[in-house]
Amino acid sequence: MFTMILLLYLQQHGDVMLESTSLRGTYKTKKACEAAAVRARGPLPTPQGYAAAWHDALCIPVNRGVIVNEGKPVDLGKLLQGRPPVVCEGTGAWRRVVELCAPTAKGPGPR
């Protein structure tokens, strides 16, 4: 079994900060986890006051029988509310936000 750790990085001036981490889903194989991680990696909409925002994702093994409680990601909506990015890129940044905000009631990620 594998789970994905999402890493949210924000850059302010020349400093890059790891803002938060969160768990996302369970996967039977590392290959399935990596396939899901590819979509999660990359730039995010950049809130005013920051130079860049992006996600990285790591797939890590977990023991069978371990239940992964998905961590709550940082509320990018609050960062972006009333302070939208100056440039809206076509890089998939907004798609990532939509996917992060989607309810997980449909269960854990692909297996």
Side-chain angles (χ1 to χ4, degrees), residues 19-107:
E19 182 66 28
S20 74
T21 62
S22 57
L23 298 177
R24 195 151 180 94
T26 55
Y27 305 85
K28 284 191 174 183
T29 66
K30 186 167 186 174
K31 184 177 179 180
C33 182
E34 285 294 341
V38 166
R39 289 186 54 81
R41 292 182 178 117
L44 294 167
T46 304
Q48 276 187 335
Y50 294 95
W54 66 93
H55 265 143
D56 196 1
L58 299 174
C59 288
I60 62 164
V62 293
N63 291 329
R64 298 212 177 270
V66 171
I67 297 171
V68 175
N69 293 325
E70 291 193 18
K72 183 178 178 185
V74 165
D75 190 351
L76 278 175
K78 284 185 181 176
L79 285 175
L80 294 168
Q81 191 174 37
R83 298 169 52 189
V86 178
V87 178
C88 294
E89 314 125 20
T91 61
W94 286 102
R95 175 190 49 80
R96 286 183 192 85
V97 171
V98 170
E99 289 177 359
L100 286 171
C101 294
T104 58
K106 56 188 171 194

